[in-house]
Amino acid sequence: MNKTVLDYIDLKSDELIELATKIWENPEVAYKEVKACEWTAEYLRKEGFDVTVGDYGVPTSIRASYGEGNPIIGLLGEYDALPGMSQKVKTEKEPVVEGAPGHGCQHNLLGVGHVGAAIGIKKEMEEKGLKGTIVFYGCPAEEALTGKVFMARGGAFRGLDIVLDWHPGTANMVMRGRSTAMNTFKLHFKGITAHAGGDPHNGRSALDAVELTHVGINYLREHVTDDVRMHYTITNGGQAPNIVPDKASAWYFVRAFTREAVEDVYERMIKVAKGAAMMTETEVEVEFLGGCYETLSNKVVADLLLDTMKELGPIEWSEEEKRFAEKLEEKKDNSQGMFSDIGDSALFEGEALDVAMDAFGSSDVGDVLHIAPGTMFMTACSNLGAAGHSWNNTACAGHEIGMKGMIYASKVMAQTGIKILEDNTIVEKAQEEFKNAMNGKEYNCPIPDDVEVPK
Ligand SMILES: [Zn+2]
């Protein structure tokens, strides 16, 4: 273990916790993270990083770098909150503001945890005269699953040798499994309105087209591979039952474990929609909102992170923290987190886990992991039974539990980063594995140039 960097992160922990708390107190949803972006950029500037905001055509993105030459290590920070997830730092469900956004995915910790790693690595580089570059990316709108994809379209992440990506979780673990690739789009149908009782024969219902699209999609489920997920909501179903709807819209996600499968099923869903439009004599317009790749975990990087977590040992929790987590476990909603039944404590205490399980959610980290080798890992920042996107997470993200998990993650990434800077063979091995995994394929941004970055 490298004492300089651990001591430095400890020394800076009050400032880091202050920044994470400020972002927690001012939750901003996807693409609206103006304050979080400004405060994070400001902090990194003060720490001596070369900082630019709004590169890549994404206004709330940050690029902050230090050093020069290879190896170039990328760190992926995020800071967006979730709508409706407002919650006090309490063990009872009680929002700060009813219906307001909150850090139910703990991205207030996520961004700052990577900042802690960046300043830790920089300190060690200065002390030891280590060569290389560290790049912190402030990535907006992870919850929209497109922030990093728009950044990648604008040229971000190219030339990185290795990527380290941490997400707050309920246990310390590296994730070798995949998350799903995804496309998100809306269909807008246009028909002809009429009095639904008086002259229905003159109407051409846009809502009928939406419903028939869904019938078609539900039949399509039988003829796709098991990993495919298709979900939808109707965003406009008309005005009143006695008016034949001339406009109707629905919003879709399609997911699968490969980008190719998503693109294939997406095309088939569009054919279904066109068929529905033909049946109902309506017109359909496709609004493509975005897409992302599945994650691709690099074994070399995952091994390195796991070893570092094992060297650092588990997070030590105070009695007060354990009690807070126990109360949350009692009061949590019915949904269960992934590891709710590990051990006796309500907080994760064991040796870091090696998780190979695939997960059916999606993350825009997948795009970065198809540009450079890396992996995602998690540290315990919530009670073990906390479900993803839950009020338990918001409560812990503003509590010492979340802050401890964040500082621990900064140390894991900083230690791992230093190992990479000190041993050239790590990048070589990671790159070789990456090249084999890509098997001649190149990253092809799922979002075409004409799709605008949401405001
Ligand atoms: Zn998240």
Side-chain angles (χ1 to χ4, degrees):
M1 280 291 104
N2 208 304
K3 224 176 147 337
T4 315
V5 70
L6 298 184
D7 288 347
Y8 189 68
I9 292 171
D10 279 333
L11 184 76
K12 288 285 183 178
S13 64
D14 285 351
E15 288 175 19
L16 295 167
I17 290 168
E18 192 189 325
L19 180 58
T21 305
K22 213 156 79 164
I23 297 171
W24 186 90
E25 286 167 350
N26 293 273
E28 301 165 296
V29 296
Y31 295 109
K32 312 252 187 245
E33 318 88 333
V34 179
K35 290 181 205 157
C37 171
E38 188 190 313
W39 295 332
T40 306
E42 176 71 36
Y43 187 81
L44 284 159
R45 220 172 263 134
K46 204 184 77 204
E47 283 292 319
F49 281 74
D50 187 4
V51 182
T52 54
V53 169
D55 283 357
Y56 321 115
V58 182
T60 50
S61 70
I62 301 170
R63 185 185 193 280
S65 68
Y66 173 79
E68 54 189 40
N70 296 75
I72 308 173
I73 303 172
L75 295 162
L76 308 179
E78 298 165 13
Y79 25 63
D80 59 326
L82 282 162
M85 277 285 147
S86 178
Q87 166 65 29
K88 290 182 180 169
V89 182
K90 273 183 118 174
T91 53
E92 309 268 333
K93 190 173 182 184
E94 189 184 333
V96 181
V97 180
E98 187 68 50
H103 277 288
C105 204
Q106 307 193 316
H107 293 184
N108 65 309
L109 307 174
L110 203 163
V112 180
H114 288 88
V115 168
I119 64 170
I121 298 171
K122 173 175 176 281
K123 179 75 181 171
E124 189 73 20
M125 287 168 78
E126 287 165 345
E127 299 265 315
K128 285 196 181 160
L130 293 173
K131 210 179 92 50
T133 310
I134 178 88
V135 188
F136 169 94
Y137 292 93
C139 310
E142 193 283 330
E143 298 298 354
L145 302 175
T146 51
K148 294 178 197 69
V149 191
F150 280 113
M151 287 172 74
R153 189 181 74 178
F157 318 118
R158 301 305 196 282
L160 290 178
D161 288 309
I162 273 186
V163 178
L164 300 178
D165 181 73
W166 164 70
H167 198 295
T170 57
N172 298 346
M173 61 177 136
V174 293
M175 297 158 81
R176 298 185 198 260
R178 292 165 297 177
S179 62
T180 50
M182 184 249 1
N183 270 2
T184 170
F185 60 101
K186 285 181 179 172
L187 296 174
H188 305 289
F189 289 92
K190 219 171 100 191
I192 300 167
T193 189
H195 190 296
D199 65 333
H201 50 282
N202 287 325
R204 297 291 180 268
S205 170
L207 181 60
D208 286 356
V210 166
E211 290 189 87
L212 288 164
T213 300
H214 296 171
V215 171
I217 285 172
N218 291 326
Y219 274 89
L220 182 60
R221 289 186 205 281
E222 199 189 350
H223 304 287
V224 293
T225 47
D226 288 349
D227 57 325
V228 173
R229 299 282 190 272
M230 293 175 273
H231 356 285
Y232 51 77
T233 58
I234 298 176
T235 52
N236 176 14
Q239 307 291 322
N242 58 351
I243 307 169
V244 173
D246 62 341
K247 288 195 186 83
S249 298
W251 184 12
Y252 305 82
F253 272 28
V254 51
R255 311 187 203 237
F257 280 129
T258 63
R259 188 70 221 146
E260 291 80 3
V262 164
E263 278 164 17
D264 173 57
V265 179
Y266 168 74
E267 290 302 332
R268 293 164 75 191
M269 289 170 82
I270 299 300
K271 280 182 192 164
V272 168
K274 286 181 178 165
M278 187 191 271
M279 274 195 275
T280 51
E281 295 181 68
T282 58
E283 286 166 24
V284 63
E285 184 208 326
V286 182
E287 184 189 357
F288 187 82
L289 299 171
C292 67
Y293 269 72
E294 73 278 11
T295 51
L296 174 63
S297 180
N298 187 278
K299 190 177 177 304
V300 172
V301 184
D303 288 347
L304 203 60
L305 284 163
L306 190 64
D307 286 350
T308 310
M309 275 197 274
K310 286 181 177 172
E311 285 160 22
L312 275 172
I315 303 171
E316 285 174 26
W317 306 108
S318 70
E319 287 308 313
E320 192 274 328
E321 287 155 1
K322 285 184 189 176
R323 264 198 305 278
F324 189 87
E326 272 160 26
K327 283 192 188 144
L328 281 174
E329 289 285 292
E330 285 166 22
K331 295 279 166 55
K332 69 173 187 279
D333 300 331
N334 288 332
S335 51
Q336 295 285 328
M338 270 203 293
F339 303 105
S340 55
D341 50 2
I342 299 178
D344 305 325
S345 172
L347 283 169
F348 181 78
E349 291 187 303
E351 190 170 79
L353 305 171
D354 196 350
V355 179
M357 195 167 54
D358 288 331
F360 283 88
S362 309
S363 169
D364 60 7
V365 173
D367 287 63
V368 188
L369 298 180
H370 279 81
I371 297 172
T375 203
M376 293 174 84
F377 79 105
M378 286 187 164
T379 65
C381 292
S382 290
N383 51 306
L384 269 170
H389 295 186
S390 69
W391 66 270
N392 277 204
N393 287 334
T394 313
C396 288
H399 187 267
E400 292 82 13
I401 291 172
M403 301 301 164
K404 255 192 190 174
M406 173 186 81
I407 296 295
Y408 180 83
S410 295
K411 290 177 178 173
V412 173
M413 285 187 278
Q415 285 286 1
T416 306
I418 293 159
K419 287 180 187 173
I420 295 164
L421 294 179
E422 285 180 332
D423 179 357
N424 289 335
T425 64
I426 294 171
V427 166
E428 277 167 29
K429 284 184 215 148
Q431 285 284 351
E432 194 190 330
E433 183 194 330
F434 177 72
K435 213 179 270 172
N436 290 338
M438 290 296 282
N439 196 18
K441 282 185 282 186
E442 274 192 19
Y443 173 72
N444 186 7
C445 184
I447 306 182
D449 286 345
D450 60 350
V451 176
E452 282 182 33
V453 177
K455 289 197 178 77

